[in-house]
Each structure stands twice: as structure tokens, then as C-alpha cells.
Amino acid sequence: MASPIDWTPPPEHLIRAADMALEPWRAWTSPVFHGLENVPRRGPALLAGNHTVYGIVDAPLIFFEIHRRHGVWVRSMADHLHWQLPGWRSLMTMGGSVDGTRANCRALLRAGQIVVVFPGGAREATRARHDRYRLQWDGRLGFARLAVEAGCPIVPFGSVGVEEMFTPLLESDSRLLAPARALGRVVMGERGKRDDLLPPVSRGLGLTPIPRPERLYFGFGEPIDTTPWAGHADDDAAMSEVRDLVRKSVQDIIDVLRAEQAADPLRTPLRRLAHGTGEHVGRAVGRLLRGGQPAFRWNGR
């Protein structure tokens, strides 16, 4: 794609097909969304959040839910690695993602687009287990600088649930993955030397790579106004203030979502199925006791 602003959304029949293709995944994860009213219906705006392990497990749900509720397509900044893979890069481009360069992000914001960024990048997507939900944003000032340049708000968001779907068997820096890292350096040249190139090797359901059926939780915070820093985009200290403010907001959202996750009695499909069955039986019994009229409302959550 010559320019990121030349992109047009897929035709309606493809959107419907992709949305339907996500239905089994929605049923598996029963996603919960909070604060979508904080996402603007028009740009320019920057949505900044945490990258979960593997990175692509929850992102489609976010993009399609925003489209379903607001009727807008967000544009996502994606790691350079995606554009090294034939076929996959075409799929990413079709969905509106672009190579995550500052030039591309700047062009989209100038064109009034809503842009999604994951400041932790691939480093968060390939994180070790002990770094679960830790934001790795140190040294990442680019997103703050671009938002201040554009004079646009930053909407913080958090995602919780993917980390519980997998158990790492080999961390990305494991010695056993050294041959794979060496192959990456040969195939990808200079870009293959990155230390965040390989994701961990994990198991999900049982010994399979199928993600465990965990509910996904998403939260979007109030937009952060960047205009107080106008004219200071080149000041690293000022941009560190913006980054830290956004990072704290995202971390707070993650903490709230994890608390919700821990207290959720319907976190897994089996619990939701049992809950639904209980509601159905309760209503049926009520109708029998009242001659076909509901006698009570099932009190389960």
C-alpha cells in the first residue's frame, strides 16, 4: 500500500463474513466491554493499551466491537514483522493495519483517523510469564510525541484474560529455542536479530495449543487531553510525563479488570452454561407453579 490513508474498509459482505467468523470465538471468550463510550466516533485520536501474549488473540474483538457500536474502523499500528510474511501481510492490510512507523501514524492522525497503538510492542507480546500484565513502556515516547504533535486525545485501554489462556512451556529466551532464533537471523537479516522476535512456546487446553476457555475483559478509560503539552513534542521530559500518565491509566484499568475477573462467577463457558441452564429451569418451574405465568426471577448472576 503506497500510503496508509489510501485504504478503504472491506466491502460489507466481507465485513459480515468476518464478523460471523468471530462468533465462535466470542462464544468461547464471552467478552465484556466497559467504557466504549470513551472511544470517539471520529478522529484524530490515539487508543493506547497493553499488548497481550501473542498479540492477535484479542485484538480482532476490540476492532470489530468498536465498529459494531460506533460504525468506525480503527487503524492499528502493527509490528514490522507482520509485513515480512506473504499472505499474512495482505490480511493485515485488508483489516486496516499498517506498518508501525512514526510516518504512517503521523499520516493517519493528520487524516483524522482513530489509531490503535500498543506502546509495549512485540516485547509485551513475547513476554515471560513472570512479566504477566506488566507494561513494558520504558523508553517508549513515540506514541506520546505523535499525539501531542497532532493535538489529539489519547484513550487508554486495557485487556485481561489472554494471559490465563496459556501456560508457557518454553520462554522466548529459552536455550532450546536458540536454533529458531538463529534461523530467524538468517531468514530476516538485520530484523531477525531482535530479542523480541520469538513468542514463548505454550500449551492451552490440556497439552494442546488451543486457548483455554477464559472470558476476556476490556476497558476504555476517559480520553487524556494532550493540548497542555502543545509545542513540547521534542521535549523528552515532557513526553515522559504524557507516557507515564497514559501508562498509569492503562495499569489502573488492568487492575480493575483483573479484580473483576477474579470475582466473576461466570468466567468460564461451563459456568455460564450451568448458569443459563439454571435460569431456564427456574423460569420453567415458576411457570408451572403459577399456571403458566412466571412465579419468580432466577437470582443467579
Side-chain angles (χ1 to χ4, degrees):
M1 186 168 60
S3 170
I5 62 174
D6 292 336
W7 179 85
T8 55
E12 276 300 317
H13 70 279
L14 283 182
I15 294 174
R16 288 194 300 270
D19 199 41
M20 289 180 62
L22 275 177
E23 281 304 313
W25 187 233
R26 290 191 184 101
W28 191 251
T29 60
S30 190
V32 174
F33 289 87
H34 300 291
L36 274 172
E37 67 275 7
N38 290 319
V39 178
R41 295 179 180 270
R42 63 180 60 185
L46 206 62
L47 310 186
N50 63 307
H51 225 334
T52 55
V53 68
Y54 298 122
I56 62 172
V57 176
D58 53 351
L61 292 174
I62 297 173
F63 303 153
F64 271 88
E65 194 66 21
I66 292 174
H67 178 259
R68 292 172 83 184
R69 301 212 193 176
H70 288 355
V72 297
W73 283 102
V74 297
R75 308 295 301 279
S76 175
M77 296 287 104
D79 189 86
H80 309 307
L81 176 62
H82 293 288
W83 272 261
Q84 305 298 310
L85 306 174
W88 177 250
R89 64 180 171 227
S90 298
L91 186 62
M92 294 286 287
T93 299
M94 184 182 299
S97 295
V98 300
D99 194 0
T101 67
R102 292 188 184 184
N104 282 341
C105 187
R106 185 177 287 113
L108 290 173
L109 291 175
R110 285 177 177 172
Q113 299 284 309
I114 300 174
V115 182
V116 175
V117 296
F118 300 95
R123 190 174 301 281
E124 285 183 358
T126 60
R127 62 160 59 90
R129 187 177 185 182
H130 62 267
D131 284 330
R132 177 180 292 183
Y133 294 118
R134 184 175 72 83
L135 298 179
Q136 301 183 39
W137 293 16
D138 290 343
R140 305 298 174 97
L141 301 179
F143 77 97
R145 205 181 307 277
L146 290 164
V148 170
E149 283 181 6
C152 73
I154 301 175
V155 179
F157 71 90
S159 173
V160 164
V162 175
E163 311 292 341
E164 287 75 24
M165 291 179 167
F166 301 98
T167 299
L169 300 176
L170 293 175
E171 302 289 4
S172 57
D173 59 354
S174 169
R175 292 181 180 179
L176 295 178
L177 292 179
R181 287 192 291 272
L183 179 62
R185 288 191 289 271
V186 171
V187 173
M188 300 184 63
E190 192 65 27
R191 286 186 172 177
K193 295 180 180 180
R194 292 168 35 182
D195 60 0
D196 58 0
L197 179 65
L198 287 179
V201 175
S202 303
R203 66 174 180 84
L205 194 61
L207 297 177
T208 75
I210 299 172
R212 284 191 286 270
E214 288 278 348
R215 171 170 270 175
L216 297 180
Y217 306 81
F218 303 98
F220 295 79
E222 293 185 3
I224 295 171
D225 181 13
T226 63
T227 57
W229 290 273
H232 297 281
D234 294 330
D235 184 343
D236 285 356
M239 294 307 95
S240 294
E241 290 179 4
V242 177
R243 178 202 58 202
D244 292 346
L245 181 59
V246 178
R247 177 166 55 185
K248 183 181 185 306
S249 297
V250 173
Q251 190 62 63
D252 288 345
I253 292 169
I254 291 172
D255 293 343
V256 169
L257 293 177
R258 294 189 74 185
E260 179 181 357
Q261 178 193 51
D264 189 355
L266 305 180
R267 179 172 162 178
T268 65
L270 285 178
R271 292 180 183 179
R272 293 193 291 274
L273 179 62
H275 168 72
T277 302
E279 278 192 331
H280 178 75
V281 171
R283 290 180 183 136
V285 171
R287 285 193 296 270
L288 287 173
L289 292 176
R290 291 293 182 88
Q293 298 300 318
F296 62 96
R297 177 174 294 179
W298 188 256
N299 200 31
R301 288 186 60 189

